[in-house]
């Protein structure tokens, strides 16, 4: 954490503060559910009711505010996008100002543990990390793994393509263990969680999360031409290519068709 702040940095910190899970703990799911339906203006204050969120904000809020300022990002207009490429074993956090054009890479977070292999998640207990186009649907401030952000897995495509029991409760979380989730250490999840809260409080209703097996290019697909997942991966390709070209997220309707 920065020990000293310039006047500009202090103002950013004030603004950042005013914006104001199986990974869910016992009672954690209820805690996460209790936060849904809140207005954006109230969301930050609701999150600050929880000790871990308050501690994270006190510890790294100033540093995050300074990082946003360095990228010309306004916390009151913040919009974020999360991407993970399995072969790189790291989670990317992209950000922009609402209406501000292309996303810019804010930081990458190495996964502290991995599970499964390349390929989508299709059944409960397969230890696979999902692949496809998702969004954050839960904020869990009482996770067994410090803090966690839930993905809307299984989505409609997973239910259509997967087995009768596709599983669930896939989270980005702290700690160093994975049974299909995305752990980025306690320190990593504090940053990602606070920035996601800030974006939600700034009015971003949908925080997209794209999960890919590898950079989906013709070269990479050719290396895996005998994989049974070839057709599925090609269905993800338009979303990957569009973001690479534009640093923007393809419209949801187009992604659904591509999937």
């Amino acid at each position: 954490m920065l020990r000293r702040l310039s006047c500009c940095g202090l103002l950013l910190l004030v603004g950042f503060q005013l914006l104001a899970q199986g990974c869910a703990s016992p009672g954690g799911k209820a805690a996460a559910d209790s936060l849904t339906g809140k207005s954006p203006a109230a969301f930050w204050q609701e999150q600050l009711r929880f000790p871990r969120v308050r501690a994270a904000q006190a510890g790294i809020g100033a540093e995050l505010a300074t990082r946003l300022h360095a990228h010309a990002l306004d916390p009151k207009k913040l919009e974020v996008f999360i991407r993970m490429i399995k072969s790189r074993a790291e989670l990317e956090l992209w950000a922009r100002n609402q209406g501000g054009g292309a996303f810019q890479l804010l930081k990458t977070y190495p996964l502290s543990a991995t599970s499964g292999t390349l390929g989508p998640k299709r059944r409960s207990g397969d230890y696979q990390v999902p692949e496809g186009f998702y969004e954050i649907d839960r904020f869990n401030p009482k996770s067994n793994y410090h803090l966690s952000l839930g993905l809307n897995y299984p989505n409609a495509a997973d239910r259509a393509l997967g087995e009768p029991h596709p599983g669930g409760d896939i989270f980005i979380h702290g700690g160093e263990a994975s049974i299909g989730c995305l752990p980025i250490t306690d320190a990593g999840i504090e940053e990602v969680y606070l920035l996601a809260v800030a974006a939600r409080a700034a009015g971003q209703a949908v925080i997209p999360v794209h999960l890919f097996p590898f950079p989906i290019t013709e070269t990479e697909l050719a290396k895996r031409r005998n994989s049974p997942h070839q057709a599925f991966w090609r269905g993800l390709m338009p979303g990957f290519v569009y973001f690479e070209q534009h640093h923007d997220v393809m419209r949801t309707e187009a992604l659904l068709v591509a999937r």
Side-chain angles (χ1 to χ4, degrees), residues 54 100 166-167 177 195:
R54 288 198 304 272
L195 290 167

Side-chain angles (χ1 to χ4, degrees), residues 84 86 88-90 110-117 127 129 176-183:
M84 195 273 289
K86 286 183 179 180
R88 296 176 181 170
E90 62 185 17
L111 299 184
S112 56
T114 59
S115 64
T117 60
Y127 287 76
V129 175
E176 299 180 0
S178 173
I179 52 173
C181 291
L182 305 171

Side-chain angles (χ1 to χ4, degrees), residues 59-73:
I60 62 171
E63 182 178 351
L64 290 181
T66 300
R67 189 181 305 161
L68 292 178
H69 178 59
H71 288 265
L73 295 170

Side-chain angles (χ1 to χ4, degrees), residues 4 11 15 66 80 95 117 198-199 217 223 228 236 252:
R4 296 183 180 179
L11 287 173
T66 300
V80 298
T117 60
T217 64
K223 294 176 183 178
L236 301 181
T252 301

Side-chain angles (χ1 to χ4, degrees), residues 17-251:
Q17 291 171 325
L18 288 178
L19 284 178
Q21 204 190 331
C23 307
S25 65
K29 182 64 162 61
D33 286 346
S34 71
L35 300 175
T36 60
K38 301 293 182 181
S39 69
F43 190 71
W44 185 252
Q45 293 304 320
E46 285 288 336
Q47 283 286 317
L48 288 176
R49 292 173 47 232
F50 297 94
R52 295 176 193 173
V53 180
R54 288 198 304 272
Q57 173 60 24
I60 62 171
E63 182 178 351
L64 290 181
T66 300
R67 189 181 305 161
L68 292 178
H69 178 59
H71 288 265
L73 295 170
D74 182 350
K76 292 181 289 185
K77 299 178 181 178
L78 186 64
E79 184 176 350
V80 298
F81 164 68
I82 296 171
R83 186 172 77 161
M84 195 273 289
I85 297 174
K86 286 183 179 180
S87 63
R88 296 176 181 170
E90 62 185 17
L91 182 144
E92 305 167 356
L93 181 67
W94 298 73
R96 68 182 177 188
N97 292 318
Q98 294 172 16
F103 281 100
Q104 55 181 306
L105 183 62
L106 196 60
K107 188 173 179 178
T108 60
Y109 299 86
L111 299 184
S112 56
T114 59
S115 64
T117 60
L118 297 184
K121 181 175 180 62
R122 288 291 177 250
R123 61 179 175 83
S124 177
D126 61 5
Y127 287 76
Q128 285 290 95
V129 175
E131 294 173 4
F133 307 113
Y134 301 94
E135 61 188 64
I136 299 298
D137 68 351
R138 283 163 287 173
F139 289 72
N140 187 355
K142 299 172 66 177
S143 170
N144 281 335
Y145 296 91
H146 194 46
L147 300 166
S148 61
L149 298 167
L151 306 188
N152 65 328
Y153 174 89
N155 60 22
D158 296 314
R159 290 191 293 271
L161 298 173
E163 296 186 12
H165 303 287
D169 284 341
I170 301 297
F171 291 83
I172 302 167
H173 62 64
E176 299 180 0
S178 173
I179 52 173
C181 291
L182 305 171
I184 53 173
T185 74
D186 289 358
I189 192 58
E190 285 187 353
E191 293 189 3
V192 174
Y193 192 95
L194 287 180
L195 290 167
V197 169
R200 173 69 179 86
Q204 185 179 0
V206 175
I207 298 177
V209 180
H210 290 186
L211 306 179
F212 297 108
F214 46 81
I216 304 187
T217 64
E218 291 294 345
T219 299
E220 292 296 319
L221 285 169
K223 294 176 183 178
R224 303 164 176 89
R225 61 173 57 89
N226 295 324
S227 171
H229 305 303
Q230 269 279 326
F232 171 76
W233 288 336
R234 284 193 175 276
L236 301 181
M237 193 173 184
F240 179 84
V241 171
Y242 187 88
F243 187 81
E244 287 290 292
Q245 292 176 345
H246 304 285
H247 282 180
D248 199 358
V249 179
M250 186 181 287
R251 293 181 300 106

